[in-house]
Protein backbone atom coordinates (compact mmCIF):
# COMPACT_ATOMS: atom_id res chain seq x y z
CA UNK A 1 0.00 0.00 0.00
CA UNK A 2 2.78 2.42 0.92
CA UNK A 3 4.55 1.59 -2.36
CA UNK A 4 1.38 2.37 -4.35
CA UNK A 5 0.87 5.63 -2.51
CA UNK A 6 4.50 6.57 -3.10
CA UNK A 7 4.20 5.77 -6.84
CA UNK A 8 0.99 7.80 -7.16
CA UNK A 9 2.58 10.73 -5.31
CA UNK A 10 5.65 10.61 -7.55
CA UNK A 11 3.43 10.49 -10.66
CA UNK A 12 1.38 13.51 -9.49
CA UNK A 13 4.57 15.42 -8.71
CA UNK A 14 5.99 14.58 -12.14
CA UNK A 15 2.83 15.79 -13.89
CA UNK A 16 2.82 18.98 -11.78
CA UNK A 17 6.40 19.78 -12.71
CA UNK A 18 5.75 19.08 -16.37
CA UNK A 19 2.75 21.44 -16.34
CA UNK A 20 4.93 24.24 -14.97
CA UNK A 21 7.23 23.91 -17.99
CA UNK A 22 4.34 23.80 -20.47
CA UNK A 23 4.30 27.60 -20.85
CA UNK A 24 7.88 28.37 -19.91
CA UNK A 25 8.37 31.07 -22.56
CA UNK A 26 5.42 33.24 -21.60
CA UNK A 27 6.41 32.93 -17.94
CA UNK A 28 9.67 34.71 -18.81
CA UNK A 29 7.51 37.66 -19.95
CA UNK A 30 5.45 37.93 -16.77
CA UNK A 31 7.34 41.12 -15.84
CA UNK A 32 5.30 42.88 -18.58
CA UNK A 33 2.05 42.41 -16.66
CA UNK A 34 0.81 45.71 -15.25
CA UNK A 35 0.35 49.30 -16.36
CA UNK A 36 3.15 51.23 -18.04
CA UNK A 37 3.34 54.81 -19.24
CA UNK A 38 5.30 57.80 -20.41
CA UNK A 39 4.12 61.40 -20.49
CA UNK A 40 5.75 64.08 -22.61
CA UNK A 41 4.79 67.71 -23.16
CA UNK A 42 2.27 66.86 -25.90
CA UNK A 43 1.11 63.26 -25.32
CA UNK A 44 0.77 60.34 -22.94
CA UNK A 45 1.60 56.78 -23.94
CA UNK A 46 -0.02 54.00 -21.89
CA UNK A 47 0.37 50.25 -22.22
CA UNK A 48 -1.62 47.88 -20.01
CA UNK A 49 -0.97 44.13 -19.79
CA UNK A 50 -2.94 41.49 -17.92
CA UNK A 51 -2.48 37.76 -17.62
CA UNK A 52 -5.63 36.04 -18.97
CA UNK A 53 -4.41 32.50 -18.27
CA UNK A 54 -1.20 30.43 -18.28
CA UNK A 55 -0.68 30.88 -22.02
CA UNK A 56 -2.17 34.29 -22.90
CA UNK A 57 -1.46 37.89 -21.93
CA UNK A 58 -3.81 40.59 -23.23
CA UNK A 59 -2.70 44.15 -23.70
CA UNK A 60 -3.70 47.47 -25.06
CA UNK A 61 -1.63 50.48 -25.96
CA UNK A 62 -2.87 53.97 -26.60
CA UNK A 63 -1.62 57.51 -27.01
CA UNK A 64 -3.62 60.51 -25.80
CA UNK A 65 -2.63 63.98 -27.01
CA UNK A 66 -2.67 67.25 -25.07
CA UNK A 67 -6.29 67.89 -26.16
CA UNK A 68 -7.20 64.59 -24.45
CA UNK A 69 -7.94 62.88 -27.79
CA UNK A 70 -6.92 59.27 -28.36
CA UNK A 71 -4.64 59.47 -31.40
CA UNK A 72 -3.51 55.83 -31.44
CA UNK A 73 -4.95 52.59 -30.08
CA UNK A 74 -4.05 48.92 -30.47
CA UNK A 75 -5.08 45.58 -29.00
CA UNK A 76 -2.23 43.17 -28.28
CA UNK A 77 -2.01 39.55 -27.24
CA UNK A 78 1.01 37.48 -26.33
CA UNK A 79 0.17 33.81 -26.78
CA UNK A 80 2.22 30.68 -26.28
CA UNK A 81 1.25 27.85 -28.63
CA UNK A 82 3.13 24.56 -28.63
CA UNK A 83 6.21 26.18 -27.11
CA UNK A 84 6.25 29.12 -29.52
CA UNK A 85 5.45 32.65 -28.40
CA UNK A 86 3.54 35.11 -30.59
CA UNK A 87 2.84 38.84 -30.29
CA UNK A 88 -0.43 39.49 -32.08
CA UNK A 89 -1.41 43.10 -32.66
CA UNK A 90 -4.60 44.59 -34.04
CA UNK A 91 -4.80 48.27 -34.93
CA UNK A 92 -8.36 49.15 -36.00
CA UNK A 93 -7.38 51.47 -38.87
CA UNK A 94 -4.40 49.47 -40.17
CA UNK A 95 -4.03 46.18 -42.08
CA UNK A 96 -7.77 46.24 -42.82
CA UNK A 97 -8.39 45.67 -39.10
CA UNK A 98 -6.74 42.24 -39.27
CA UNK A 99 -4.44 40.94 -36.56
CA UNK A 100 -0.73 40.81 -37.43
CA UNK A 101 1.37 38.09 -35.76
CA UNK A 102 5.02 38.46 -34.79
CA UNK A 103 6.97 35.38 -33.73
CA UNK A 104 9.31 35.45 -30.75
CA UNK A 105 12.95 35.20 -31.82
CA UNK A 106 14.69 36.04 -28.53
CA UNK A 107 13.61 35.72 -24.92
CA UNK A 108 15.28 35.81 -21.55
CA UNK A 109 14.42 37.33 -18.18
CA UNK A 110 14.86 40.92 -19.40
CA UNK A 111 14.44 40.92 -23.20
CA UNK A 112 11.72 39.73 -25.54
CA UNK A 113 11.99 40.17 -29.31
CA UNK A 114 9.24 39.38 -31.82
CA UNK A 115 9.69 39.53 -35.60
CA UNK A 116 7.60 39.44 -38.75
CA UNK A 117 9.83 40.14 -41.79
CA UNK A 118 6.77 40.13 -44.09
CA UNK A 119 5.10 43.09 -42.36
CA UNK A 120 5.66 46.57 -43.81
CA UNK A 121 6.50 48.31 -40.52
CA UNK A 122 7.47 47.45 -37.92
CA UNK A 123 9.15 44.15 -38.63
CA UNK A 124 10.60 43.83 -35.16
CA UNK A 125 9.08 44.57 -31.74
CA UNK A 126 11.23 44.34 -28.62
CA UNK A 127 10.70 44.89 -24.91
CA UNK A 128 13.71 45.38 -22.66
CA UNK A 129 13.27 45.35 -18.89
CA UNK A 130 15.49 48.04 -17.37
CA UNK A 131 14.45 47.26 -13.80
CA UNK A 132 11.25 46.22 -11.98
CA UNK A 133 9.65 49.63 -12.63
CA UNK A 134 10.91 50.60 -16.09
CA UNK A 135 11.17 49.15 -19.57
CA UNK A 136 11.89 50.26 -23.11
CA UNK A 137 9.74 49.11 -26.02
CA UNK A 138 11.27 49.41 -29.47
CA UNK A 139 9.82 48.96 -32.92
CA UNK A 140 12.06 48.77 -35.97
CA UNK A 141 12.18 47.78 -39.58
CA UNK A 142 12.96 48.80 -43.13
CA UNK A 143 9.98 50.66 -44.60
CA UNK A 144 10.76 51.51 -48.23
CA UNK A 145 14.30 50.22 -47.70
CA UNK A 146 15.11 52.79 -45.02
CA UNK A 147 16.23 51.49 -41.62
CA UNK A 148 14.02 53.01 -38.88
CA UNK A 149 13.52 52.46 -35.19
CA UNK A 150 11.50 54.10 -32.45
CA UNK A 151 12.08 53.78 -28.71
CA UNK A 152 9.38 54.08 -26.06
CA UNK A 153 10.75 54.25 -22.51
CA UNK A 154 8.05 53.58 -19.92
CA UNK A 155 7.70 53.52 -16.16
CA UNK A 156 5.39 51.28 -14.17
CA UNK A 157 2.19 53.14 -13.29
CA UNK A 158 0.93 52.19 -9.84
Amino acid sequence: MKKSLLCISAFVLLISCKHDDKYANIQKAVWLVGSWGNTSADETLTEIWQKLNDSVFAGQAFVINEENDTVFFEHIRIEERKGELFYIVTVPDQNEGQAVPFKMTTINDSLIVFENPEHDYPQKIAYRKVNADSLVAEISGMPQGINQSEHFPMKRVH
Side-chain angles (χ1 to χ4, degrees):
M1 179 68 172
K2 285 184 180 182
K3 240 183 196 184
S4 295
L5 187 56
L6 182 60
C7 287
I8 291 170
S9 296
F11 180 72
V12 169
L13 181 61
L14 181 64
I15 289 174
S16 298
C17 290
K18 188 173 181 170
H19 175 73
D20 288 344
D21 291 342
K22 186 174 183 181
Y23 300 111
N25 282 325
I26 201 166
Q27 292 309 311
K28 291 179 184 174
V30 75
W31 53 269
L32 272 177
V33 173
S35 297
W36 301 89
N38 185 351
T39 300
S40 67
D42 55 349
E43 64 184 23
T44 298
L45 165 65
T46 303
E47 210 169 284
I48 301 167
W49 287 97
Q50 65 184 104
K51 181 178 177 179
L52 293 185
N53 57 48
D54 289 346
S55 64
V56 179
F57 295 171
Q60 57 183 357
F62 51 94
V63 176
I64 298 174
N65 67 14
E66 58 192 3
E67 288 84 32
N68 214 25
D69 294 325
T70 302
V71 295
F72 179 80
F73 183 84
E74 65 185 1
H75 292 280
I76 317 162
R77 292 172 68 86
I78 295 177
E79 297 182 7
E80 185 161 353
R81 303 179 200 147
K82 297 179 182 176
E84 294 186 313
L85 205 57
F86 295 90
Y87 183 99
I88 303 160
V89 61
T90 306
V91 180
D93 60 351
Q94 294 179 14
N95 304 299
E96 298 175 358
Q98 299 298 308
V100 178
F102 293 77
K103 187 176 179 182
M104 182 269 297
T105 57
T106 303
I107 192 164
N108 59 45
D109 292 335
S110 62
L111 176 66
I112 311 163
V113 179
F114 301 92
E115 296 185 55
N116 180 340
E118 303 302 315
H119 191 250
D120 55 356
Y121 184 81
Q123 288 135 2
K124 183 189 272 188
I125 300 169
Y127 287 87
R128 182 179 306 278
K129 177 180 166 183
V130 177
N131 59 45
D133 292 323
S134 66
L135 64 81
V136 177
E138 178 183 2
I139 61 173
S140 59
M142 298 277 293
Q144 291 133 6
I146 300 168
N147 192 16
Q148 282 188 329
S149 68
E150 300 173 66
H151 295 80
F152 305 94
M154 291 181 262
K155 299 283 185 190
R156 189 175 294 277
V157 178
H158 296 283

